[in-house]
């Protein structure tokens, strides 16, 4: 798996563990489906790492959040976690864009 | 402003900007149909279908369908009730509404002091939140939900318009008050929208889970 694949897999695991996150959806469902078709246990590349822009690396997570925690709090936790992980990975802070979207707010 | 989920998102981020994805197609269930999702619910979501479970649109549709089935189980099963034709049309309209509202729509911002962190809720997630608030109140079945206003601009006033069916015998005024409070509470908890009004129209009457 590529460096970005490893990074995406690590970030996916980290986002999944955030309090209030019930599910992480694939940002690139076609790519995830292709990976699933190629191997019996595909890596879960649900968080997307996009370096197509020369100036900025865009990391995107699509999540489902639970009603038990206010959605804005959960989204901020996810965004700050991703930002910290990218900082720790050595990416220049001014060359990173983190995008987090709640796609579903699940009921109790 | 009138909401039309078939239009491109009314978002400050242009389509050629990093991270932009157009997933606003009206009623797009990521390759599935409402009938397939209904069958999947019938099978208690087994065997697990990853293409359904990993689709936000399918998850919203399944949640809406499951609640609708709980509420109107009698209507779905009593073919001899004499009203079954009308009930089927009513349920069909509600299913169409659920399908129309699962398109992601606009991106509703959640503020963060770090400009490098962009947080949003999809408009579909917020409509699903409003729908659940009503469907779990008791005595009403939610119909259409519209967020009317510039939801992509923080602080802009937003009006919420909903339609619902009301159980026979309940006070429309009291139920509307309870429904309004419940929707306002859910939106205050899970969004930063500035809701200026919640307009409720009861457009049908239910009798013991069926339309009367």
């Amino acid at each position: 798996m590529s460096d970005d694949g490893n990074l995406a897999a690590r970030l996916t695991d980290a986002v999944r563990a955030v309090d209030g996150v019930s599910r992480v959806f694939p940002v690139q469902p076609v790519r995830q489906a292709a990976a699933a078709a190629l191997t019996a246990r595909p890596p879960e590349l649900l968080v997307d790492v996009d370096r197509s822009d020369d100036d900025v690396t865009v990391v995107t997570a699509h999540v489902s959040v639970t009603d038990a925690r206010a959605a804005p709090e959960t989204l901020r936790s996810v965004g700050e976690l991703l930002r910290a992980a990218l900082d720790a990975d050595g990416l220049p802070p001014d060359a990173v864009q983190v995008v987090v979207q709640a796609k579903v707010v699940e009921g109790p | 402003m009138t909401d039309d989920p078939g239009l491109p998102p009314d978002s400050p981020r242009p389509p050629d900007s990093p991270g932009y994805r157009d997933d606003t197609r009206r009623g797009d269930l990521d390759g599935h149909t409402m009938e397939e999702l209904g069958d999947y619910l019938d099978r208690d979501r087994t065997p697990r279908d990853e293409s359904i479970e990993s689709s936000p649109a399918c998850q919203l549709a399944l949640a809406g369908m499951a609640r609708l089935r709980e509420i109107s189980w009698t209507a779905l099963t009593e073919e001899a009730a004499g009203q079954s034709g009308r009930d089927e049309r009513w349920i069909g309209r509600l299913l169409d509404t659920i399908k129309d509202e699962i398109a992601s729509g606009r991106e509703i911002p959640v503020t963060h002091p770090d400009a490098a962190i962009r947080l949003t809720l999809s408009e579909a997630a917020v409509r699903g939140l409003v729908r659940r608030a009503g469907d779990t109140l008791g005595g009403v079945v939610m119909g259409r939900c519209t967020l009317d206003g510039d939801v992509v601009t923080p602080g802009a006033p937003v009006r919420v318009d909903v339609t619902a069916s009301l159980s026979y015998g309940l006070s429309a005024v009291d139920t509307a008050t309870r429904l309004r409070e419940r929707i306002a509470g859910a939106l205050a908890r899970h969004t930063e929208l500035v809701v200026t009004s919640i307009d409720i129209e009861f457009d049908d009457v239910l009798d013991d889970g069926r339309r009367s």
Side-chain angles (χ1 to χ4, degrees), chain A residues 67 76 80 98 103 105, chain B residues 23 112 116 118 132 189 192:
Chain A
D67 186 68
R76 287 188 190 106
E80 288 162 9
V98 170
K103 290 285 192 180
V105 180
Chain B
D23 50 1
H112 195 284
R118 185 171 188 279
R132 189 180 73 237
R189 175 170 169 76
E192 295 180 347

Side-chain angles (χ1 to χ4, degrees), chain B residues 105-189:
Chain B
R106 295 171 288 181
E107 298 183 358
I108 299 172
V110 169
T111 55
H112 195 284
D114 185 343
I117 298 178
R118 185 171 188 279
L119 311 174
T120 60
L121 294 109
S122 72
E123 189 172 11
V126 175
R127 282 195 295 248
L129 182 67
V130 171
R131 176 174 296 282
R132 189 180 73 237
D135 283 343
T136 56
L137 175 68
V140 300
V141 177
M142 296 293 282
R144 175 179 43 77
C145 169
T146 304
L147 304 177
D148 192 0
D150 183 11
V151 296
V152 302
T153 301
V158 174
R159 202 181 82 229
V160 179
D161 286 325
V162 300
T163 63
S165 301
L166 175 68
S167 284
Y168 179 79
L170 289 181
S171 159
V173 173
D174 292 347
T175 306
T177 299
R178 288 193 300 132
L179 178 56
R180 192 173 288 113
E181 289 172 353
R182 199 172 172 91
I183 291 172
L187 291 174
R189 175 170 169 76

Side-chain angles (χ1 to χ4, degrees), chain B residues 31-47:
Chain B
H32 295 279
T33 65
M34 291 295 272
E35 290 73 21
E36 287 172 1
L37 296 184
D39 291 343
Y40 191 56
L41 271 183
D42 287 342
R43 300 194 306 269
D44 286 333
R45 301 169 81 140
T46 56

